[in-house]
Amino acid sequence: MISIVIPIYNEEENLQNLYTRLTNAAPSWKEDYEIVLIDDGSRDKSLTMMRVMAEKDSHVRVIKLSRNFGHQPAISAGIQEAKGDAIIIMDGDLQDPPEELYRFLDKWREGYEVVYAVRTKRKEGFFKKIAYSSFYRILAAISDIEIPLDSGDFCVMDRKVVNVLVHDMPEQIRFIRGMRAYAGFRQIGVTYERAERAAGEVKYTFKKLVKLALDGLFGFSSFPLRVSTYLGITIAFPSLFIGLFFLLHRLFGFKVFGHTPEETPGLASLAVGMFFLGGVMLIMLGIIGEYISRIYVEVKKRPFFVIDEIIEKKSGN
């Protein structure tokens, strides 16, 4: 059996189309299946619609979270509750086309434990495309592990991989695509063209995208912590030469920008140096603070999602 895990947050405009396209595509999978919809604290009619689907169709299960926990925790709840031998993760806005799933499952049947989607085109604004492309390349450059370029959460994972993510990787701050890469196993990418959102508003706001990017960068790279060493070296050598220059300036009294040492007692250069080094130190304190804040979250060991209700068709109905 395969499980299709889909986090849902205020997707009433897409839900019926999503369900129809999934059920129409299902025969091409040649497997028994379940559709696991995770209600991530929706405030529209999404939960009501999903409840009706689950009561009518035994293939549909709804995991209702107690509040909005966010996209990555919602995915984590879904893969924890999924029963399939292969688990598919996709979004509910139909940017991940259900009609392409058979291609991913074919690769899984060939023996690959992780089959991830690689986006060849994104039908989004120019600046958003640049931001996504830049993020993936920066992450790939500084990550401690190899994370494939232009790959999102859309993927198929074998049960053994999901077991690792659920049972052996209990971190509170979740970045599923990074965790998936860290787990290892045989992995392969499948290219596809990412569609436009079918309807409704984009749920990943700029603020949420920045948070996700920071979770990826700080969760899978120690490079930012090493930046202080690199900056220290970078600043130290020029500072040495600048210091020697001003020492010679004072000793021999030659003019700099038309001024003698007596006319420039050093206030400006001192102020510039202090502000520059102060800015560098504040940046480094901010980076250290990001790591400490994540340590703070992890040591509390609070659950990263809380399930309120599981809705499914009762046997015999």
Side-chain angles (χ1 to χ4, degrees):
M1 186 173 75
I2 63 172
S3 300
I4 303 98
V5 172
I6 309 173
I8 300 293
Y9 177 65
N10 296 342
E11 293 287 1
E12 63 177 354
E13 295 172 285
N14 288 314
L15 265 172
Q16 188 57 51
N17 191 17
L18 173 67
Y19 173 75
T20 301
R21 287 176 61 178
L22 280 169
T23 52
N24 287 342
S28 67
W29 306 335
K30 301 175 183 177
E31 299 272 354
D32 188 18
Y33 68 95
E34 64 169 356
I35 301 171
V36 184
L37 303 172
I38 304 93
D39 177 60
D40 189 23
S42 295
R43 299 176 182 176
D44 60 2
K45 297 178 182 177
S46 295
L47 179 60
T48 302
M49 295 174 67
M50 289 188 286
R51 192 182 293 275
V52 171
M53 291 174 185
E55 290 171 352
K56 290 183 176 180
D57 188 347
S58 59
H59 289 108
V60 179
R61 297 170 62 220
V62 179
I63 313 298
K64 180 182 179 296
L65 302 186
S66 62
R67 64 171 176 85
N68 177 248
F69 285 88
H71 185 259
Q72 301 293 296
I75 291 176
S76 299
I79 64 175
Q80 175 181 291
E81 297 299 320
K83 300 175 181 178
D85 301 305
I87 291 84
I88 297 167
I89 299 174
M90 60 183 294
D91 287 337
D93 54 12
L94 290 171
Q95 289 188 284
D96 302 330
E99 295 78 10
E100 296 289 320
L101 290 179
Y102 77 93
R103 298 171 56 211
F104 292 75
L105 290 169
D106 285 346
K107 289 296 181 183
W108 171 66
R109 292 187 186 100
E110 289 177 17
Y112 292 98
E113 285 95 357
V114 176
V115 185
Y116 56 85
V118 178
R119 300 154 178 160
T120 56
K121 291 183 181 179
R122 306 183 69 111
K123 296 181 180 179
E124 293 163 329
F126 174 76
F127 290 106
K128 200 168 185 180
K129 288 180 183 177
I130 292 296
Y132 274 117
S133 178
S134 300
F135 163 69
Y136 283 118
R137 279 145 187 80
I138 291 171
L139 181 61
I142 70 174
S143 176
D144 297 331
I145 59 172
E146 183 178 348
I147 298 179
L149 288 173
D150 301 317
S151 62
D153 294 318
F154 186 26
C155 69
V156 175
M157 291 187 290
D158 189 82
R159 166 56 59 184
K160 67 172 71 173
V161 182
V162 170
N163 287 342
V164 170
L165 267 61
V166 171
H167 301 297
D168 300 327
M169 302 180 73
E171 52 248 55
Q172 312 296 298
I173 300 174
R174 317 288 283 181
F175 186 65
I176 300 298
R177 65 201 72 172
M179 296 169 67
R180 182 183 71 203
Y182 181 89
F185 300 101
R186 293 185 65 201
Q187 304 200 11
I188 190 171
V190 173
T191 58
Y192 82 114
E193 185 173 332
R194 188 167 172 83
E196 293 180 296
R197 164 175 274 274
E201 297 180 355
V202 175
K203 303 304 184 295
Y204 251 124
T205 62
F206 179 75
K207 181 179 178 181
K208 290 180 179 179
L209 285 172
V210 169
K211 181 182 182 302
L212 181 66
L214 291 177
D215 288 344
L217 291 172
F218 290 115
F220 290 89
S221 175
S222 57
F223 177 80
L225 286 173
R226 295 195 296 270
V227 168
S228 57
T229 302
Y230 302 146
L231 280 176
I233 294 171
T234 302
I235 293 169
F237 283 103
S239 297
L240 174 63
F241 291 113
I242 292 171
L244 288 173
F245 174 80
F246 278 106
L247 177 62
L248 295 173
H249 173 56
R250 175 64 60 181
L251 290 174
F252 296 101
F254 55 85
K255 290 185 178 182
V256 176
F257 299 115
H259 296 282
T260 63
E262 290 75 17
E263 295 171 332
T264 55
L267 180 62
S269 58
L270 181 62
V272 169
M274 288 179 61
F275 283 123
F276 176 70
L277 290 175
V280 170
M281 286 189 287
L282 286 173
I283 291 171
M284 296 315 304
L285 283 173
I287 291 173
I288 294 170
E290 287 288 343
Y291 281 98
I292 292 175
S293 69
R294 283 160 172 74
I295 294 171
Y296 175 65
V297 170
E298 294 292 342
V299 298
K300 287 188 292 187
K301 296 189 181 299
R302 291 176 182 171
F304 39 90
F305 62 83
V306 176
I307 295 176
D308 178 29
E309 182 183 4
I310 297 179
I311 306 162
E312 55 190 331
K313 187 175 182 180
K314 301 294 187 292
S315 59
N317 289 352

